[in-house]
Amino acid sequence: MSALFKIDKLYGGYHKLSILENLSLEINKGDFLGIIGPNGSGKTTLLRLMSRVLPLSSGEVYLEGKNICQLDLKEFCQKVAFVQQDLAINFPFTVWEIVLMGRIPHLKRMQFETKKDYLVAQNSLIMTDAFCLKDKSIDELSSGERQRAIIAKALAQEPVLLFLDEPTSHLDIRHQIQILDLLRKLNKKNNLTIVMVLHDLNLAGEYCNRIVLLNEGKIFKQGSPKEVLTYQNIEDVYKTVVVVKDNPISSKPYIILVPGE
């Protein structure tokens, strides 16, 4: 099976500082891939390089066999959406206006939205259970509501690949599960390929079918949750003593912290 997204010998970072070195990775259609690792390991940098927010220092990145650096940005944004962490919106747009912005890659210059664009935006709001919020200002929403609205905007792009940077940060337990249940439903029912950065190892193990563990800008381990989330791997990378058990409900790996003396 050919990869939907392929990274080959990637180097990149900020200015002259290289964060990621010689990193290669394949993402297959239908993957729900979690990227984990300690602070400073390069998780967010990797997403920004894959989504063209940052330029590559060297290496190649391919989407459906095409080099992303040679793709027109508009064409790239028709296929790839990126939900950034703490996205700043400095004007009180309504949720409906924000979700319609996701249609911009599909519009010609100076073209107004069509009936199809309105329908796609409406369906995106329905899929994220945010249609009831469409007339509210974005700055009136709770953290969970705001996250659903931003994901609806990304879905309105009709991407084949969705990147998310810590989509559950600043959310309480209820809203964390709500967002991740939504993403799992989109992954399974819509065959949407999802790549997300997570700090919570238990959430990554519960929802992702594949996990990439980064350490110091390199891939330390990748594979299924059971292959990656072992106590040996976690202790080697995070320098923290843990116990790993099977979740009694899902049989997925569950990490228990061992407090220091």
Side-chain angles (χ1 to χ4, degrees):
M1 177 172 56
S2 60
L4 172 68
F5 200 84
K6 183 177 180 180
I7 302 168
D8 186 31
K9 299 177 182 177
L10 174 67
Y11 288 76
Y14 304 90
H15 305 294
K16 295 182 179 180
L17 178 62
S18 184
I19 304 296
L20 299 171
E21 298 182 355
N22 198 29
L23 191 147
S24 296
L25 176 67
E26 292 190 0
I27 302 166
N28 297 318
K29 180 68 176 175
D31 268 347
F32 194 146
L33 178 69
I35 301 174
I36 62 173
N39 292 338
S41 59
K43 304 183 297 297
T44 294
T45 302
L46 178 56
L47 279 194
R48 290 175 176 172
L49 290 165
M50 291 193 291
S51 58
R52 292 180 55 168
V53 173
L54 289 175
L56 311 180
S57 296
S58 66
E60 308 288 341
V61 180
Y62 300 93
L63 172 64
E64 296 178 328
K66 299 179 181 178
N67 190 313
I68 66 168
C69 296
Q70 297 172 1
L71 281 176
D72 178 78
L73 183 59
K74 184 175 182 179
E75 181 184 356
F76 182 78
C77 291
Q78 289 173 354
K79 294 179 178 290
V80 176
F82 181 22
V83 176
Q84 301 185 58
Q85 185 183 171
D86 298 327
L87 178 65
I89 300 174
N90 298 319
F91 190 84
F93 292 107
T94 66
V95 170
W96 178 248
E97 290 170 328
I98 286 173
V99 174
L100 271 180
M101 292 177 192
R103 297 303 299 161
I104 291 175
H106 297 274
L107 300 177
K108 296 178 181 178
R109 188 177 181 184
M110 303 301 289
Q111 180 186 357
F112 291 104
E113 294 88 354
T114 66
K115 187 175 181 179
K116 177 187 176 182
D117 297 311
Y118 290 129
L119 183 60
V120 171
Q122 177 178 301
N123 288 338
S124 298
L125 284 166
I126 291 171
M127 281 191 290
T128 55
D129 194 26
F131 188 74
C132 59
L133 307 173
K134 68 182 182 70
D135 296 321
K136 286 190 175 183
S137 169
I138 191 69
D139 54 13
E140 296 174 351
L141 304 183
S142 69
S143 296
E145 291 171 336
R146 178 186 170 90
Q147 193 69 301
R148 295 207 310 273
I150 298 303
I151 292 174
K153 173 183 177 291
L155 295 179
Q157 291 178 230
E158 296 184 295
V160 297
L161 176 58
L162 176 61
F163 293 125
L164 304 105
D165 189 8
E166 297 190 45
T168 59
S169 64
H170 311 306
L171 299 182
D172 59 31
I173 294 174
R174 172 174 169 261
H175 287 112
Q176 287 180 3
I177 299 303
Q178 188 179 63
I179 292 298
L180 291 174
D181 281 348
L182 164 65
L183 293 174
R184 180 159 58 185
K185 181 175 73 173
L186 293 169
N187 172 253
K188 290 184 175 180
K189 292 189 175 181
N190 297 57
N191 202 31
L192 177 64
T193 304
I194 295 174
V195 178
M196 68 176 179
V197 166
L198 278 175
H199 266 301
D200 191 312
L201 304 186
N202 287 323
L203 290 178
E206 191 64 36
Y207 284 90
C208 301
N209 72 301
R210 288 180 59 213
I211 293 177
V212 171
L213 173 58
L214 294 182
N215 189 37
E216 298 180 349
K218 297 180 176 65
I219 294 178
F220 182 88
K221 182 73 175 180
Q222 62 174 308
S224 69
K226 282 188 178 292
E227 291 171 327
V228 176
L229 297 177
T230 66
Y231 81 88
Q232 296 99 326
N233 290 336
I234 295 169
E235 291 181 3
D236 283 347
V237 171
Y238 288 90
K239 310 303 180 186
T240 302
V241 178
V242 297
V243 174
V244 179
K245 300 284 188 179
D246 285 345
N247 185 311
I249 297 174
S250 66
S251 297
K252 300 289 183 65
Y254 185 81
I255 295 93
I256 303 169
L257 299 178
V258 177
E261 295 181 1

